[in-house]
Amino acid sequence: MQTSTKKLIIAALMAAFTCIATMIIKISTPTFGYIHLGDGMVLLSGIVLGPAAGAAAAGTGSMFADIFSGYAAWAPATFLIKSLTAGIAGILFSFLKHRFHSRHSYRIGIIVSGLVGESIMVIGYFLYETGLAAASSGGLTKAAFAAAAVSSASGIPFNIIQGAAGILTALILMPVLLKIPDIKDWILD
């Protein structure tokens, strides 16, 4: 099978796995969101498939999880935020994977690219929630944005926990993926 066909199939699988991992274990938060393991699949999408295909798979899978879970108002933002998370993580991992000279240096790449990618996720959701809250308050004034930012800040710690869970999930699943020859070549080549 040609490499492009294999990548297309793996991209579709990563989108499906991202959706399932986001939906299957959900821990509700007081801010009406939820913590899930989907961010691990978002990071792995960027790392395994590269920035462009990984961004498409991660964004699509995460968006469908929102739609299927009753969070359709968040779906467009989720697509953009998770696509950026995977894309940036993929770029950084690609840059870092050969910078360290140990057998397991990919772990450092996952941690560093995961921290940057998940920071984008935390900031992205904070900005979207702030804009949504300000718009729903009836006016886009400075005071409405200030009040919206204060109320939206309560979600930041939960998104940080979700990001940390995503990095940990990626670290746990990477050794399994490295046992698949084609994927190993894509990741470590």
Side-chain angles (χ1 to χ4, degrees), residues 46 70 87 92 105 128 135:
L92 262 161
S105 63
Y128 183 72

Side-chain angles (χ1 to χ4, degrees), residues 120-138:
I120 290 167
M121 181 270 294
V122 171
I123 292 165
Y125 278 120
F126 170 73
L127 293 174
Y128 183 72
E129 189 173 344
T130 298
L132 204 58
S136 68
S137 72

Side-chain angles (χ1 to χ4, degrees), residues 17-27 34-44 62 82 118 161-170 172-173:
F17 289 151
T18 300
C19 182
I20 291 166
T22 301
M23 293 178 66
I24 201 151
I25 298 175
K26 293 194 278 192
I27 302 166
Y34 57 96
I35 296 170
H36 55 80
L37 300 178
D39 275 33
M41 298 310 295
V42 167
L43 294 174
L44 288 173
S62 297
K82 299 297 183 168
E118 295 299 344
I161 292 168
Q162 178 176 303
I167 294 168
L168 184 61
T169 302
I172 290 168
L173 292 177

Side-chain angles (χ1 to χ4, degrees), residues 2-67:
Q2 290 182 340
T3 301
S4 60
T5 305
K6 284 181 187 178
K7 270 209 172 173
L8 181 62
I9 292 168
I10 297 299
L13 284 170
M14 293 301 286
F17 289 151
T18 300
C19 182
I20 291 166
T22 301
M23 293 178 66
I24 201 151
I25 298 175
K26 293 194 278 192
I27 302 166
S28 296
T29 65
T31 58
F32 304 108
Y34 57 96
I35 296 170
H36 55 80
L37 300 178
D39 275 33
M41 298 310 295
V42 167
L43 294 174
L44 288 173
S45 291
I47 290 168
V48 170
L49 298 167
T60 302
S62 297
M63 177 189 67
F64 277 116
D66 273 0
I67 291 168

Side-chain angles (χ1 to χ4, degrees), residues 7-9 11 15 20 30 34 38 45 61-62 78 80 83 86 93 99 106 113 121 138 145 171 176 179 185:
K7 270 209 172 173
L8 181 62
I9 292 168
I20 291 166
Y34 57 96
S45 291
S62 297
T78 292
L80 179 63
S83 293
F93 184 84
R99 301 292 185 261
Y106 69 86
S113 62
M121 181 270 294
F145 274 108
L171 284 167
V176 175
K179 292 181 187 222
D185 292 343

Side-chain angles (χ1 to χ4, degrees), residues 97-157:
K97 68 183 174 185
H98 297 299
R99 301 292 185 261
F100 304 100
H101 302 290
S102 73
R103 189 171 149 229
H104 299 289
S105 63
Y106 69 86
R107 291 184 180 128
I108 296 167
I110 290 172
I111 292 168
V112 172
S113 62
L115 287 170
V116 173
E118 295 299 344
S119 295
I120 290 167
M121 181 270 294
V122 171
I123 292 165
Y125 278 120
F126 170 73
L127 293 174
Y128 183 72
E129 189 173 344
T130 298
L132 204 58
S136 68
S137 72
L140 296 177
T141 65
K142 200 181 257 189
F145 274 108
V150 169
S151 71
S152 298
S154 64
I156 291 174

